[in-house]
Amino acid sequence: AQKITQTQPGMFVQEKEAVTLDCTYDTSDPSYGLFWYKQPSSGEMIFLIYQGSYDQQNATEGRYSLNFQKARKSANLVISASQLGDSAMYFCAMRDAPDAGNKLTFGGGTRVLVKP
Amino acid sequence: DVKVTQSSRYLVKRTGEKVFLECVQDMDHENMFWYRQDPGLGLRLIYFSYDVKMKEKGDIPEGYSVSREKKERFSLILESASTNQTSMYLCASSFSGPPLHFGNGTRLTVT
């Protein structure tokens, strides 16, 4: 069974600083995908970034980057130059193996509060 | 932009009532999903569907059923609501695979 673990239930970060959100996963499938979503207080889930298990380079999208360490089964999200609007819940998720469908399994989430 | 619309933002129901949560997407996506979100547990998959009239159980299907009569609409049904089904319910859709596009959620309270 696949599992996603986010060990940080909540954290504070100073505006303009970088923050790293931890995510470890457990799977025996060689092919998988890792996703990060942001959920502001409005409740919508916003897709941030994707990393495929066979991707050679770490994914980046603007201020978001994914520190993918395959051997350690970790996929940490790095947010650079934090802004007040980054205050939200952040979820790490993993896609099942392709032949098992396109479901995502989510971690418990990390709440980030950016301080001015 | 993909739009996934959930019919109610907030819902209050009584124990034993039959509850319908509706979800509509406007991008002709094949895949649709229902998750529930609880603090510390993240999102857990209840049911999903890859096509009209097709459904598959997720990780926590007990107490729920679904209906997909049309491609754009995926309904979650609580046959007899119970207090432990008080939660945030999120609908999502996708084309051939992730990422999923989510609705804004329905916060259901069962009293």
Side-chain angles (χ1 to χ4, degrees):
Chain A
Q2 298 182 358
K3 186 177 176 181
I4 300 283
T5 303
Q6 294 180 252
T7 57
Q8 307 151 309
M11 55 198 308
F12 290 98
V13 60
Q14 199 66 42
E15 192 179 10
K16 299 180 184 176
E17 290 186 352
V19 60
T20 297
L21 308 183
D22 295 340
C23 173
T24 58
Y25 58 92
D26 183 23
T27 180
S28 56
D29 297 313
S31 175
Y32 52 90
L34 296 155
F35 301 78
W36 278 92
Y37 280 83
K38 171 185 178 181
Q39 186 183 45
S41 56
S42 59
E44 62 181 314
M45 293 281 284
I46 302 167
F47 166 66
L48 295 178
I49 195 166
Y50 165 79
Q51 179 84 44
S53 59
Y54 293 121
D55 292 345
Q56 295 297 313
Q57 296 196 336
N58 287 345
T60 61
E61 287 288 345
R63 293 186 300 110
Y64 304 107
S65 60
L66 204 150
N67 183 3
F68 182 45
Q69 298 187 45
K70 196 170 182 177
R72 297 178 63 182
K73 294 189 175 179
S74 75
N76 298 340
L77 177 71
V78 180
I79 306 174
S80 63
S82 296
Q83 303 172 355
L84 297 179
D86 293 334
S87 294
M89 282 289 290
Y90 289 83
F91 292 97
C92 180
M94 180 165 62
R95 173 183 53 81
D96 281 325
D99 59 356
N102 293 305
K103 312 184 296 288
L104 291 185
T105 301
F106 286 81
T110 296
R111 183 174 298 280
V112 173
L113 186 60
V114 180
K115 298 186 293 183
Chain B
D1 254 3
V2 177
K3 192 160 178 66
V4 180
T5 303
Q6 294 182 231
S7 54
S8 303
R9 189 81 175 98
Y10 298 95
L11 213 50
V12 179
K13 296 293 181 180
R14 291 194 181 276
T15 302
E17 278 193 79
K18 190 170 186 175
V19 181
F20 292 86
L21 302 184
E22 306 287 348
C23 175
V24 177
Q25 50 93 5
D26 66 357
M27 284 302 292
D28 203 34
H29 284 170
E30 288 107 356
N31 306 320
M32 295 190 75
F33 307 82
W34 275 106
Y35 286 87
R36 66 175 280 177
Q37 180 181 358
D38 300 289
L41 299 178
L43 281 71
R44 293 178 292 167
L45 182 64
I46 305 171
Y47 267 98
F48 60 102
S49 169
Y50 293 141
D51 203 350
V52 176
K53 297 192 185 296
M54 175 273 176
K55 60 185 178 184
E56 293 278 350
K57 292 180 180 179
D59 299 317
I60 52 165
E62 297 78 18
Y64 303 94
S65 63
V66 290
S67 172
R68 194 165 182 201
E69 296 296 320
K70 293 184 178 181
K71 192 174 186 179
E72 67 270 19
R73 186 179 296 271
F74 193 36
S75 302
L76 179 69
I77 304 158
L78 286 65
E79 295 290 342
S80 177
S82 64
T83 54
N84 63 13
Q85 291 178 311
T86 291
S87 186
M88 170 73 92
Y89 290 87
L90 291 163
C91 174
S93 73
S94 72
F95 186 48
S96 57
L100 307 185
H101 301 271
F102 284 85
N104 283 351
T106 295
R107 188 168 293 281
L108 173 66
T109 302
V110 182
T111 62

